């Protein structure tokens, strides 16, 4: 039957406001019995709309296939391991990890990760396969992990748990390959001559601006604070032992995990990089109403505890940084038909979050063990969190000196307002966190002071109308992180400012279906990731947004029929040039796509 006919039929057959109305909460769905595309079609490629990597236009100096594995019924099994050693006799300065995967059958979306020696390199999730088969590719620049990638005989592990039985037949076939590039000399060469993009037109005012009086760069401190441009000398994982994956599973606010680490005494810079994903009852944490609403209405859902969550990074029991993660929606989320074949922002390459810890070297360089902790404020089951500690070492000395200047530990500031009558109501949360830290480090490069400012603001509103059958979720997150390194005389050595905004809006309207455990849901989603970065001399901007709308007819956890449209616009301008891509996907296939290496702003001005 044509889906729109079905919709009309459903609308006329459904008795209004039946008592079997499902709880108006998002859940994790599969398209088990529904396929929008015809069964004669060849396997379809699924994509996350992003830019080509700058290295894609280069020929790798070496290619190293490291793993080829089929993940089938891997639930409760330890990760799959292999031994990693870098290619012999190969000159390289950049590395890309390429994950190529395929599956056919029926399966839920699954979370997966790749670790090297317990340090996470990639957090990814899978699309939901179809009987005709699907495939996808993820390429990530992993140059920041060079210090590990240069070592031999390390354990490379991949975790991807799934259940395979008569109903869920999809086995995930995964290949992992490292591509090594020799990008000679300094980063400038790589940025501007090896990458075949048109040069930026002269009438554009942003993208590349030379600072007026850049001071000479001291020997041990390159000017970029970007991890991929200036990789650390040592990476220490803050992760679990590995039998259930190297991520820590956090099920409540009191599940804080700690790892004692004694860092080398010649460390002159430290950054912690946090990887995080959200699952189970917290998969859609930003849409969870307070417990009081669930209890007073006697709802069966466990997706509650309000919509405030924050990943906290602690050092010896003090919060030194926090992350409100970008709400990545997995391919079974909100309406699985939205993500066919264009997946949600970040679904194939979940962002990691960096927090500068250099101001704390005054505490860390005392030759003692210090405790690095990770926790999730207000968490319910469950979150998968781990981190990598990136350290830069001064080769010329055994010990550098460091001291604190200002530690302004933040306190949590969250305000909540809640108002409801039976199933209708409004819940608001507003929060703010500001931190300011500074400290000096006297290495052979000089006595430099690192200043760190970070500001986080978030707002979340959830509204229920029409006896709880209409839900409207609005969230805004705004983060600014600024790091500045200055010499004793106050001259700027390096600086980086990253501003990120990620607004999200989801509206759903649920109508009960005629069959047992069936319902019809009309779904809308708008979200984006907007980023502005100033790294020393370079400015860059990213604007990545998706708008989706559609409907689905659901029985239990299966989508039986539906239709959906997703429009995505990706627009980046940075030191590699410009790239824009617009994609329109409708009912399971791409209807229109445009790509350009021209600078949009220059073209329109
Ligand atoms: C997608 O499906 C809906 C509902 O069946 C239909 O109205 C719409 O025309 C379809 N779009 C395309 C491009 O096929
Ligand atoms: C390493 O590479 C160089 C240049 O390609 C070549 O001359 C040399 O024989 C190689 N050495 C080994 C051990 O493969
Ligand atoms: C994995 O690699 C093998 C061997 O090269 C190839 O036959 C297979 O098609 C690849 N699978 C995927 C999913 O890329
Ligand atoms: C799907 O996988 C099964 C099992 O590997 C295989 O028998 C079947 O031919 C595959 N179908 C397609 C369309 O690739
Ligand atoms: C790695 O392991 C192999 C086999 O056990 C061994 O021959 C080789 O020397 C090791 N390499 C290093 C760098 O430890
Ligand atoms: C670095 O780049 C600059 C500008 O392109 C060039 O003049 C210089 O020779 C390069 N240095 C090295 C070591 O390649
Ligand atoms: C892979 O390595 C981890 C960490 O050592 C271990 O816990 C796990 O059991 C290993 N996996 C397998 C399949 O042996
Ligand atoms: C700073 O460190 C350098 C190198 O370790 C050392 O020679 C110098 O004495 C230190 N400066 C001061 C003022 O302690
Ligand atoms: C480094 O500079 C800071 C602040 O400018 C100062 O307090 C500290 O004593 C200096 N350290 C050394 C070793 O000179
Ligand atoms: C509202 O929904 C509840 C639960 O589905 C139902 O029991 C109740 O009768 C509904 N109220 C109205 C006024 O329709
Ligand atoms: C495809 O998108 C471009 C740019 O958004 C637009 O100009 C064009 O009309 C679209 N084509 C179709 C067939 O929708």
């Amino acid at each position: 039957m044509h889906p729109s006919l079905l919709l009309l039929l459903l609308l006329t057959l459904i008795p209004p406001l039946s008592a079997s109305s499902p709880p108006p909460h998002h859940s994790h769905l599969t398209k088990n019995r529904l396929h929008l595309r015809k069964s004669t079609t060849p396997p379809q490629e699924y994509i996350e709309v992003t830019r080509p990597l700058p290295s894609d236009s280069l020929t790798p100096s070496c290619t190293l296939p490291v793993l080829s594995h089929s993940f089938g019924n891997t639930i409760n099994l330890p990760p799959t391991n292999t031994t990693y050693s870098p290619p012999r006799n190969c000159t390289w300065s950049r590395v890309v990890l390429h994950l190529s995967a395929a599956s056919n059958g029926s399966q839920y979306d699954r979370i997966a990760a790749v670790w090297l020696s317990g340090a996470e390199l990639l957090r990814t999730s899978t699309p939901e396969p179809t009987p005709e088969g699907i495939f996808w590719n993820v390429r990530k620049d992993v140059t920041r992990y060079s210090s590990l990638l240069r070592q031999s005989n390390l354990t490379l592990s991949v975790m991807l748990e799934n259940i395979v039985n008569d109903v869920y037949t999809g086995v995930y076939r995964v290949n992992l390959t490292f591509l090594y590039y020799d990008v000679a000399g300094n980063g400038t060469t790589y940025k501007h001559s090896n990458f075949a993009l048109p040069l930026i037109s002269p009438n554009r005012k942003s993208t590349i601006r030379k600072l007026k009086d850049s001071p000479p760069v001291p020997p041990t401190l390159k000017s970029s604070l970007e991890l991929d441009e200036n990789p650390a000398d040592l990476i220490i994982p803050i992760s679990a032992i590995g039998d259930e994956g190297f991520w820590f599973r956090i099920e409540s606010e009191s599940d804080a995990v700690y790892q004692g680490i004694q860092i080398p005494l010649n460390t002159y810079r430290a950054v912690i990089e946090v990887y995080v994903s959200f699952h189970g009852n917290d998969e859609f944490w930003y849409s969870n109403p307070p417990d009081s609403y669930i209890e007073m209405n006697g709802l069966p859902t466990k997706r509650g505890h309000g919509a405030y969550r924050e990943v906290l990074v602690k050092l010896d029991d003090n919060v030194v940084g926090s992350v409100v993660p970008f709400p990545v929606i997995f391919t079974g989320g909100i309406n699985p038909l939205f993500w066919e074949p264009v997946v949600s922002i970040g679904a194939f390459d979940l962002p990691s979050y960096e927090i500068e810890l250099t101001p704390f070297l005054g505490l860390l360089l005392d030759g003692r063990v210090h405790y690095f902790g990770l926790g999730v404020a207000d968490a319910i089951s469950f979150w998968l969190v781990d981190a990598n500690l990136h350290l830069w070492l001064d080769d010329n000395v055994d010990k550098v000196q460091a001291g604190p200047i200002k530690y302004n530990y933040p306190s949590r500031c969250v305000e909540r307002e809640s108002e409801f009558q039976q199933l209708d109501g409004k819940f608001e949360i507003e929060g703010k966190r500001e931190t300011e830290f500074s400290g000096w480090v006297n290495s052979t490069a000089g006595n430099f002071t690192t200043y760190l400012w970070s500001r986080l603001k978030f707002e979340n509103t959830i509204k229920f109308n029409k006896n709880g059958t209409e839900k409207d979720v609005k969230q805004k997150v705004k983060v600014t992180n600024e790091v500045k390194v200055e010499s004793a005389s106050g001259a700027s050595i390096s600086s980086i400012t990253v501003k990120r905004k990620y607004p999200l809006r989801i509206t759903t309207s649920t109508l009960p279906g005629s069959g047992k455990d069936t319902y019809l849901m009309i779904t809308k989603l708008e979200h984006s990731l907007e980023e502005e970065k100033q790294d020393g001399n370079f400015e860059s901007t990213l604007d990545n947004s998706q708008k989706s709308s559609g409907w689905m007819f659901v029985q239990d956890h299966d989508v039986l029929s539906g239709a959906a449209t997703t429009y995505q616009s990706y627009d980046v301008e940075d030191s590699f040039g410009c790239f824009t891509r617009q994609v329109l996907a409708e009912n399971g296939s791409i209807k229109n796509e445009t790509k350009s290496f021209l600078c949009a702003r220059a073209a329109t001005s």
Side-chain angles (χ1 to χ4, degrees), residues 256-282:
V257 291
Y258 286 92
Q259 190 155 313
I261 296 174
Q262 188 182 336
I263 73 163
L265 296 176
N266 59 341
T267 303
Y268 69 88
R269 185 181 177 210
V271 169
I272 190 168
E273 178 191 28
V274 178
Y275 277 94
V276 51
S277 54
F278 12 90
H279 307 277
N281 294 325
D282 252 354

Side-chain angles (χ1 to χ4, degrees), residues 281-282 284-290 303-307 309 380 462:
N281 294 325
D282 252 354
F284 309 99
W285 50 275
Y286 39 83
S287 76
N288 286 10
R303 298 175 185 270
H305 216 46
R309 301 288 183 278
I380 57 172
I462 301 172

Side-chain angles (χ1 to χ4, degrees), residues 86 232 240 336 526 585:
E526 253 179 72

Side-chain angles (χ1 to χ4, degrees), residues 71 74-77 110-111 159-163 244 247:
F71 293 85
T74 44
I75 184 93
N76 297 328
L77 292 181
R110 300 292 180 179
I111 191 72
M159 185 88 170
L160 195 174
E161 279 182 286
N162 64 2
I163 294 173
E244 296 173 7
W247 40 41

